[in-house]
Amino acid sequence: MKNLQYLFIFTLLLTFFACSDDGDDIVIEKNENAGKTVVNSNRNTSGPSEAQGRLEFPKLKGGISTVVVHKAVLNKNTQQQGVNYCVEWDPELNAQRWSCYQLYSSINYHSSYNVSRYSSDNDGLLLPTSQYPNDADLPKEYQWTEDPYKYSGYDHGHICPSADRLRATEANYQTFFITNMQPQYNKFNAGLWEKMEGDVRNWVSLADTLYVCKGGTIDSSTNVIEYVKNGSHQSARVNSSYIPVPRYFFMAVLSRKGSKWQALGYWVEHINKDRSNDNRRNYAVSIDRLEELTGLDFFCNLPDDIENEVERTLVQSFWGL
């Protein structure tokens, strides 16, 4: 998989670089000299890939982190290729901080054009043919030799959902990488979280492009339920082979329709209870509020004036809530 890239992040630098977009063309600001689309307030790190300038990227945590950029065919009929999704992986916590990606009509769920959801009988060994494969583009020293979820009682909770990538086989397969997973109670994963994922797919009809970032809270022990490895459950982390179970999950969604922007956050406590019939309006927050809750800086690659406006404003009627 030579077309996948990983980036080591050691320091945060202020820099400016092009913002790529695999959906509809977007002009944020014209560089009069080069005539290229650029972002005027990129606060992410520099690196060999332009992917970090994409609008769905939050500000990187920094320290020793790894960003994995997955590329694939996104539409089997048109053979459209592009960035599938990206992950910030924290090797100290042995967990992903978030997955981010774009969603637009030509790659969105469509029952008439979908491929089959990836499935394998090989579970727990983390081979390329396993149900939840090791991410081959994560540095080998960060990969598991066995699946820490097995016997833990938690689902492998997709962060970039399989159902968001059903227009091409490779794109769907990549969503099953264990780097795209967080431990989730089944009642949460198959209930409220799944309903929220469906909301995002439905919102594609409102936009030219949606920019999405999702994840769970891993950075503070107060925001972690417990630490697990296989059948072992610990209230405090025993060693680096244990993975955190987030106490909260979040979604940050940015919509662009022409020159119009809207943004919404979902913030939800991770509990072992079926809340699939809850009114999801109760979990909607502004991006400013979501940043306070998560400690992350979403949509930092937007120009400051657009970022400030959309992040402080939540128009629930726009999202049909």
Side-chain angles (χ1 to χ4, degrees):
M1 299 182 185
K2 294 181 180 178
N3 59 347
L4 304 183
Q5 304 171 39
Y6 54 83
L7 309 171
F8 288 100
I9 314 303
F10 296 102
T11 57
L12 291 178
L13 305 174
L14 300 182
T15 185
F16 299 86
F17 49 80
C19 182
S20 101
D21 182 292
D22 290 315
D24 305 284
D25 291 337
I26 177 173
V27 175
I28 302 297
E29 177 184 329
K30 280 289 186 180
N31 180 327
E32 294 181 357
N33 294 324
K36 296 181 179 179
T37 302
V38 298
V39 171
N40 72 350
S41 61
N42 185 348
R43 294 186 291 278
N44 268 329
T45 70
S46 61
S49 169
E50 293 182 351
Q52 291 170 109
R54 291 163 62 92
L55 298 185
E56 65 268 28
F57 262 77
K59 186 176 181 180
L60 304 178
K61 183 71 175 180
I64 301 176
S65 301
T66 299
V67 173
V68 187
V69 179
H70 293 289
K71 295 183 178 181
V73 172
L74 302 175
N75 184 314
K76 67 180 176 64
N77 292 328
T78 64
Q79 290 297 297
Q80 174 188 354
Q81 299 187 40
V83 173
N84 189 10
Y85 70 94
C86 305
V87 171
E88 183 179 14
W89 184 261
D90 190 312
E92 294 179 339
L93 296 174
N94 214 15
Q96 71 123 271
R97 183 163 285 107
W98 44 257
S99 292
C100 67
Y101 59 97
Q102 296 179 12
L103 199 57
Y104 39 90
S105 59
S106 66
I107 63 171
N108 195 25
Y109 183 99
H110 195 301
S111 58
S112 298
Y113 304 114
N114 287 346
V115 300
S116 298
R117 175 184 167 99
Y118 173 72
S119 180
S120 171
D121 292 333
N122 183 359
D123 190 17
L125 298 179
L126 299 177
L127 301 172
T129 55
S130 297
Q131 184 59 49
Y132 302 101
N134 247 324
D135 188 335
D137 289 85
L138 193 69
K140 290 189 181 300
E141 61 267 29
Y142 302 151
Q143 295 184 8
W144 286 289
T145 56
E146 61 179 347
D147 188 344
Y149 290 72
K150 196 171 179 65
Y151 309 120
S152 72
Y154 290 99
D155 285 3
H156 294 75
H158 281 73
I159 303 303
C160 176
S162 165
D164 284 11
R165 292 296 190 258
L166 276 174
R167 298 289 283 274
T169 299
E170 182 184 18
N172 186 260
Y173 165 74
Q174 289 177 355
T175 68
F176 285 84
F177 288 162
I178 201 162
T179 46
N180 186 44
M181 303 293 157
Q182 287 276 20
Q184 291 183 340
Y185 294 118
N186 177 261
K187 288 182 179 179
F188 177 82
N189 182 31
L192 183 58
W193 185 253
E194 185 176 47
K195 290 292 184 69
M196 289 176 167
E197 290 174 333
D199 288 341
V200 175
R201 286 188 290 276
N202 290 335
W203 291 334
V204 169
S205 63
L206 305 176
D208 297 328
T209 304
L210 293 181
Y211 306 91
V212 184
C213 183
K214 301 176 181 176
T217 55
I218 63 172
D219 289 306
S220 167
S221 60
T222 59
N223 284 337
V224 171
I225 295 173
E226 62 177 350
Y227 299 84
V228 297
K229 178 187 178 184
N230 306 120
S232 178
H233 299 249
Q234 303 292 333
S235 59
R237 200 156 184 248
V238 176
N239 58 51
S240 61
S241 64
Y242 281 76
I243 58 176
V245 179
R247 189 175 299 278
Y248 299 94
F249 280 88
F250 62 85
M251 300 185 182
V253 184
L254 174 69
S255 164
R256 177 185 63 81
K257 181 74 171 179
S259 61
K260 303 295 184 183
W261 303 85
Q262 295 284 345
L264 169 142
Y266 269 149
W267 172 258
V268 55
E269 187 176 4
H270 180 209
I271 59 176
N272 193 17
K273 179 182 177 181
D274 182 9
R275 292 171 291 166
S276 56
N277 293 323
D278 281 11
N279 187 338
R280 291 176 306 276
R281 179 187 181 98
N282 297 331
Y283 301 101
V285 296
S286 70
I287 299 300
D288 276 350
R289 178 58 179 154
L290 191 64
E291 290 178 339
E292 292 175 359
L293 292 164
T294 62
L296 296 173
D297 183 0
F298 298 104
F299 311 128
C300 63
N301 292 324
L302 278 171
D304 287 338
D305 56 342
I306 297 176
E307 180 185 4
N308 292 337
E309 176 63 25
V310 300
E311 291 191 353
R312 70 169 175 257
T313 305
L314 171 59
V315 182
Q316 292 195 340
S317 59
F318 174 83
W319 304 97
L321 298 175

